[in-house]
Amino acid sequence: MINMKISKRLKEISNFIDENDKIIDIGCDHALLDIYLKEKYQNISIIASDIHEGALKMARKNLEKHEMEDKIDLRLGDGLTVANPNEYNCIIISGMGYYNIVKILSDQSKLENANKIIIQSNTDVVKLRKYIIKLGYKITREKLVEDNDIIYTIIQFQKGIEKYDYRQIYFGPRLLENKDEIFNDYYYKKLLKYENLLLQLPKSNVISRLHHKRLIKIIKEQVK
Ligand SMILES: C[S@@+](CC[C@H](N)C(=O)[O-])C[C@H]1O[C@@H](n2cnc3c(N)ncnc32)[C@H](O)[C@@H]1O
């Protein structure tokens, strides 16, 4: 029985983790996800790191509150530089933007043993799918979660090759297989937004108009 409360978004991320994963949580901030995971799986190995001293201070306080000072390995530093590749096989990066995530994953020697990468990006999810697939990963699981009126995409990448068409890259291959209510709602709102934008775009802005028309077309094919 887990007796701590975390946000819906973090809880959904925790569902992507198995007991045997050796985790590094980059940008752990408060470390609430890591504490929750350690409560769920007592034997799980977790390195929780952050680039900001203030964040780690708060993480340390939270660890003390839950009597987990010796159970979660807190490290201060930039991205994957804080650990050796043999210390983890699962990378979690959540609540960051595209450029930061790409920067963290750009040193491929750090991905040697990273069989699983869990990403919840705040921006450019489509570009991230493309980037991480190019690193030699396939998308094995995806989930949309609504938390405080924001819809987040959580993606699990695992080592391997799988070919995707542009629709799968745009919507997510696993999300397309299971279009739930959140999916329809999310893309219906996007559709309205793009239709509105198109109305406002001047006729002279040919490239942008074409881009929006294409997006509207592919979204219309998918939403109910
Ligand atoms: C918005 S918080 C997200 C916290 C938590 N992962 C979550 O999803 O709720 C982003 C955290 O990432 C940290 N961060 C940003 N860039 C980083 C980097 N290159 N390496 C490690 N941590 C980083 C920030 O200091 C901040 O604490």
Side-chain angles (χ1 to χ4, degrees):
M1 173 74 177
I2 307 167
N3 55 25
M4 73 176 284
K5 275 213 176 305
I6 54 172
S7 69
K8 240 171 120 178
R9 175 183 62 90
L10 288 178
K11 191 158 183 199
E12 202 54 68
I13 294 172
S14 79
N15 290 335
F16 282 67
I17 301 302
D18 302 314
E19 186 147 30
N20 297 327
D21 290 333
K22 275 167 71 183
I23 290 166
I24 181 157
D25 179 17
I26 304 285
C28 67
D29 201 358
H30 33 62
L32 292 181
L33 172 65
D34 310 293
I35 294 169
Y36 184 86
L37 284 170
K38 197 72 191 172
E39 284 209 2
K40 189 171 177 187
Y41 302 121
Q42 273 144 36
N43 293 322
I44 199 166
S45 147
I46 305 181
I47 298 170
S49 78
D50 206 286
I51 199 166
H52 287 122
E53 186 108 42
L56 271 204
K57 238 185 194 171
M58 189 162 57
R60 199 162 295 117
K61 254 192 180 166
N62 285 333
L63 256 56
E64 280 163 14
K65 193 167 136 199
H66 291 267
E67 297 180 357
M68 286 196 183
E69 303 97 300
D70 315 328
K71 296 181 180 160
I72 293 172
D73 188 349
L74 281 187
R75 298 191 189 173
L76 176 68
D78 188 354
L80 291 164
T81 60
V82 297
N84 291 318
N86 59 8
E87 292 182 288
Y88 54 87
N89 60 19
C90 173
I91 300 170
I92 303 175
I93 309 177
S94 72
M96 281 190 215
Y98 170 80
Y99 289 104
N100 229 357
I101 296 174
V102 163
K103 199 168 150 252
I104 289 167
L105 297 177
S106 63
D107 180 356
Q108 293 202 37
S109 68
K110 290 286 187 182
L111 303 181
E112 253 167 45
N113 302 318
N115 294 322
K116 184 163 151 186
I117 304 178
I118 312 292
I119 299 285
Q120 180 271 300
S121 171
N122 290 339
T123 60
D124 292 314
V125 173
V126 177
K127 271 162 73 182
L128 262 176
R129 282 198 187 95
K130 277 190 208 159
Y131 179 80
I132 300 177
I133 288 163
K134 274 199 189 135
L135 295 176
Y137 289 84
K138 59 183 177 182
I139 296 169
T140 48
R141 194 170 158 188
E142 287 172 298
K143 179 92 183 153
L144 292 176
V145 58
E146 187 167 7
D147 192 357
N148 276 326
D149 292 330
I150 301 174
I151 295 178
Y152 300 95
T153 311
I154 305 165
I155 310 176
Q156 171 175 292
F157 297 87
Q158 284 179 288
K159 283 222 161 122
I161 309 258
E162 198 169 71
K163 286 238 175 291
Y164 303 105
D165 62 28
Y166 70 93
R167 279 186 192 85
Q168 290 170 309
I169 294 289
Y170 184 76
F171 294 101
R174 306 289 85 94
L175 290 174
L176 269 183
E177 286 166 356
N178 177 29
K179 288 184 233 161
D180 59 9
E181 218 181 304
I182 303 183
F183 180 96
N184 284 309
D185 201 42
Y186 183 56
Y187 285 105
Y188 183 66
K189 282 183 187 142
K190 270 193 187 252
L191 181 63
L192 294 182
K193 187 177 125 191
Y194 292 141
E195 283 179 336
N196 227 341
L197 275 169
L198 185 63
L199 283 177
Q200 288 164 37
L201 275 172
K203 293 248 170 344
S204 56
N205 206 339
V206 180
I207 292 178
S208 194
R209 285 182 67 86
L210 265 177
H211 174 68
H212 281 81
K213 278 183 183 167
R214 187 167 172 264
L215 286 177
I216 289 168
K217 183 172 177 286
I218 68 166
I219 295 175
K220 267 189 175 162
E221 286 166 4
Q222 298 304 330
V223 291
K224 284 182 200 151

